[in-house]
Amino acid sequence: MLKFALLGFLNYKPMTGYDLKQAMEKSTANFWQAKQSQIYTTLKDMEKKELVVSYSEIQEGRPDKRVYSITDAGKNDLEKWLLEPVTAVERHKNTLLLKLFFSSGVDREFLLSQLRQLMVLYQREVERFSTETRSIIEETARNNPELRLDSILWDATRRLGEMHKEMYVAWLEETIAMIEKHF
Amino acid sequence: MLKFALLGFLNYKPMTGYDLKQAMEKSTANFWQAKQSQIYTTLKDMEKKELVVSYSEIQEGRPDKRVYSITDAGKNDLEKWLLEPVTAVERHKNTLLLKLFFSSGVDREFLLSQLRQLMVLYQREVERFSTETRSIIEETARNNPELRLDSILWDATRRLGEMHKEMYVAWLEETIAMIEKHF
DNA sequence: TATAACATGTAACTAGTTACATGATTGG
DNA sequence: CCAATCATGTAACTAGTTACATGTTATA
């Protein structure tokens, strides 16, 4: 639920919808993304429920900025959610697997070339997690020493991303070999 | 999109909404699930679009069975989709990571016990993929020798599930150690 | 005697996506 | 001069979930 992501960010400091989108793109986007439009409508909804409050910062030549801050009710809501344990394995929908599952009639070379192309993409993703994403976390931690503990957890989420893409590369290799052999 | 999953199954043989739900639970549920209610509404919608046709099998003591079959238009739709290459890395939403990302204020022991409990669940999942899921595929392949190629692909999807859960176990170990050390 | 399996469906709702609408400023 | 950045929002739509509604038969 996007609401909790927004509360999580606003718990660091007040931000606008635009800021929140950028913050997400730099960090949680790897495991939680949202469109700008959804962020705006969700913030509005949260304000109605008094989880956040906003004020308008007047600007010239561009729309006024609406800066949101978390309220005590919002902090409670966030904390309550953080303390709800995750007790089940999440099941994610995976289009690639769904397609592959039904692809026995598809041309062998078409399948193979697709999987090979995906392998390149996933290798790049591994690279991205171990360089860019890591740097973003390190830099933020350097500039905000009070976020030391946070940065440890941020890095744990980064590591899952990295390991996840590595696993994909290994699976693609295995799957390509399998298809080459049996198809 | 559920539509393609349903077309995929109906491309093997005619089935009812109830059958489809069961088939999914036994196979694609690991990467594509749907509620019974969604299956029924989607089938109705697909019939309107002439991707499937149905007839009613009269039964006593229980609702008549509505048996769906794929049409030529449905086969085209399915094949067209199968031939659309997957060219991007899918981004899945992950509640666990979102929660962890914002959990710096949460009690250390609470976090650790949660992650340890999750590790048990993920280990069980690895087990499930390598035994139950594997048996289902093997048995189906044994009973339907014409589905040999299919079963190779089914097993590839099973392997990703297995490897994915193994990766999670490794990450949980690493993350638990990290929190024990730095928190 | 209770519960799982068989079998279908609708209504209301939630979450998220796509498309539309506007317009100045900054950097290459 | 063109694209990206800054900045906000609404409307329509799609996909999926939850809750409701019904009722028999087989099994433990």
Side-chain angles (χ1 to χ4, degrees), chain A residues 43-58:
Chain A
L43 283 170
K44 196 160 255 190
D45 186 60
M46 288 161 74
E47 185 156 34
K48 208 163 61 192
K49 290 174 182 152
E50 298 181 59
L51 304 174
V52 296
V53 280
S54 72
Y55 67 89
S56 203
E57 205 178 294
I58 289 134

Side-chain angles (χ1 to χ4, degrees), chain A residues 1-2 4-9 12 25 27-34 38 78-107 110-111 114 117-118 121-122 125 128 148-150 152-157 159-161 163-165 167-168 170-171 174-175 178-179 182-183, chain B residues 1-2 4-9 12 25 27-34 38 78-107 110-111 114 117-118 121-122 125 128 148-150 152-157 159-161 163-165 167-168 170-171 174-175 178-179 182-183:
Chain A
M1 246 189 134
L2 178 58
F4 295 113
L6 300 180
L7 287 174
F9 282 112
Y12 287 128
E25 281 308 315
S27 56
T28 63
N30 296 308
F31 49 84
W32 208 280
Q33 329 85 42
Q38 197 199 352
L78 175 61
E79 196 180 354
K80 205 186 115 203
W81 176 72
L82 289 174
L83 293 176
E84 265 165 32
V86 175
T87 53
V89 172
E90 274 186 286
R91 287 169 150 195
H92 300 114
K93 295 191 171 154
N94 187 318
T95 310
L96 175 64
L97 290 191
L98 186 64
K99 223 171 245 202
L100 190 64
F101 188 89
F102 292 116
S103 286
S104 66
V106 169
D107 175 66
F110 174 82
L111 263 186
Q114 229 196 110
Q117 271 176 268
L118 275 178
L121 293 186
Y122 277 97
E125 282 283 283
R128 184 173 68 81
R148 201 194 115 259
L149 281 191
D150 296 81
I152 290 166
L153 296 179
W154 299 344
D155 197 62
T157 66
R159 264 297 279 164
L160 187 76
M163 288 169 77
H164 183 245
K165 306 314 170 195
M167 181 275 296
Y168 250 96
W171 173 77
E174 195 184 298
T175 304
M178 180 79 87
I179 291 174
H182 296 289
F183 251 58
Chain B
M1 248 187 134
L2 178 59
F4 296 113
L6 300 180
L7 287 174
F9 283 112
Y12 287 128
E25 282 307 314
S27 55
T28 63
N30 296 309
F31 48 85
W32 209 280
Q33 329 86 43
Q38 198 200 350
L78 174 62
E79 197 181 353
K80 205 186 115 201
W81 176 73
L82 289 173
L83 293 176
E84 263 165 34
V86 175
T87 52
V89 172
E90 273 186 288
R91 287 167 149 196
H92 300 112
K93 295 193 171 152
N94 186 317
T95 310
L96 175 63
L97 289 191
L98 187 63
K99 224 172 243 202
L100 191 63
F101 188 89
F102 292 116
S103 287
S104 66
V106 169
D107 176 67
F110 174 82
L111 262 186
Q114 232 197 106
Q117 272 175 266
L118 274 178
L121 293 185
Y122 277 98
E125 282 284 283
R128 183 173 69 81
R148 200 193 117 260
L149 281 192
D150 295 86
I152 290 167
L153 296 180
W154 299 344
D155 197 62
T157 66
R159 264 297 278 163
L160 187 75
M163 289 169 77
H164 184 243
K165 307 311 173 199
M167 182 275 296
Y168 251 96
W171 174 77
E174 196 184 298
T175 303
M178 180 80 85
I179 291 173
H182 294 290
F183 251 59

